[in-house]
Amino acid sequence: MNGRIKPPPGFENSPLDIETVRAGRRFGRIYASAFPDPLGYGKTPSRFSDPRRRDPARRFGVVYLGDTLKVCFLEAVLREEIYARRYAEIETIADLRLVDLREGHAIRMGVPTDVAKSSRQSLGRAWSLAFHEHRSVPDGIIYPSRLNGHTNLAIFDRAISKLSAVRRAINWSTGPCHHHQRSSCEPRRHHLDQGHETQTGRTCQRWTSRCRAHEAANSALAA
């Protein structure tokens, strides 16, 4: 299947593969410590964000969840540059109806696999809008992480009332490791392979948060 194909005309009437996530399930979310609400969201570009940037009144928001701490860490901390993070457990308090992009479901619906797996996210946004506007009114999307294959959820803002933050489990603060005492901002592979003692000094703006967050989550990721 052409990995660049966008939703065809009339897709809103096509059948969807829907996975029902029952009330009482728990997932995880890593979010910036600067924001107090674990279920808060913005509308900045992401894999399944609303692409209608010129129509702010109609744009929807998305909250991302993961089924393991490991996938939350990989998706949130290793890919972004925020210095302080928290991990919260999120419980479904009502059933969620999610478009299923796992295994063979995407192909059966005519959805390109690149929607969930490509490093480029523009195609995912186009399909997310198509799912959001579908006549079946799904609550979001369930899909495999392109980083480790674990399950992620993208919940549309209209369904956030079906979620509840039940526990804030980890609070990561960031600081420089001794490899950041130099002026270079080049990434070093050891940042992802092992933790390092933190010190004060000059920091690499991009890699400091990843090194310190890895140190905090090392035991969880090894599980």
Side-chain angles (χ1 to χ4, degrees):
M1 179 183 295
N2 186 341
R4 299 179 181 177
I5 190 169
K6 292 188 176 181
F11 179 77
E12 66 273 11
N13 297 314
S14 301
L16 295 179
D17 283 14
I18 297 292
E19 170 73 8
T20 299
V21 175
R22 300 297 182 187
R25 291 282 306 278
R26 288 196 181 187
F27 298 88
R29 188 178 192 215
I30 292 177
Y31 62 103
S33 297
F35 303 104
D37 184 3
L39 292 173
Y41 61 91
K43 297 183 180 180
T44 55
S46 61
R47 179 169 298 278
F48 292 118
S49 61
D50 191 327
R52 299 173 293 186
R53 302 189 68 178
R54 295 184 180 180
D55 191 3
R58 298 179 61 196
R59 293 181 71 209
F60 58 84
V62 181
V63 166
Y64 294 92
L65 309 175
D67 69 343
T68 64
L69 170 59
K70 186 168 187 176
V71 74
C72 292
F73 177 83
L74 291 173
E75 294 283 357
V77 177
L78 292 186
R79 288 157 50 113
E80 299 183 15
E81 302 173 14
I82 294 176
Y83 288 88
R85 293 276 190 168
R86 291 175 178 168
Y87 174 79
E89 288 187 357
I90 309 297
E91 183 173 303
T92 56
I93 57 176
D95 292 354
L96 291 172
R97 298 177 61 259
L98 306 176
V99 180
D100 197 343
L101 299 184
R102 300 169 300 173
E103 300 177 347
H105 296 284
I107 294 175
R108 183 160 50 246
M109 292 184 290
V111 179
T113 55
D114 278 357
V115 167
K117 296 182 178 180
S118 176
S119 59
R120 296 185 177 183
Q121 300 178 342
S122 58
L123 188 64
R125 294 169 196 155
W127 280 91
S128 179
L129 176 59
F131 297 146
H132 186 273
E133 301 298 301
H134 195 276
R135 66 175 184 173
S136 63
V137 196
D139 294 318
I141 304 164
I142 186 169
Y143 64 101
S145 169
R146 61 179 292 267
L147 299 175
N148 70 350
H150 291 189
T151 296
N152 286 329
L153 277 58
I155 307 300
F156 298 141
D157 57 8
R158 64 189 177 202
I160 291 178
S161 61
K162 297 182 178 183
L163 305 174
S164 176
V166 294
R167 189 164 72 100
R168 295 173 176 84
I170 297 174
N171 186 19
W172 290 317
S173 60
T174 61
C177 74
H178 69 275
H179 291 276
H180 291 115
Q181 306 304 312
R182 59 191 75 181
S183 60
S184 172
C185 288
E186 290 295 318
R188 304 226 185 319
R189 184 167 183 80
H190 65 260
H191 292 169
L192 308 185
D193 294 335
Q194 59 187 2
H196 297 288
E197 180 182 358
T198 58
Q199 303 174 11
T200 58
R202 300 175 66 183
T203 70
C204 164
Q205 293 296 310
R206 181 174 183 183
W207 293 93
T208 293
S209 60
R210 300 185 182 193
C211 186
R212 181 62 172 148
H214 173 83
E215 181 179 313
N218 189 46
S219 60
L221 295 181

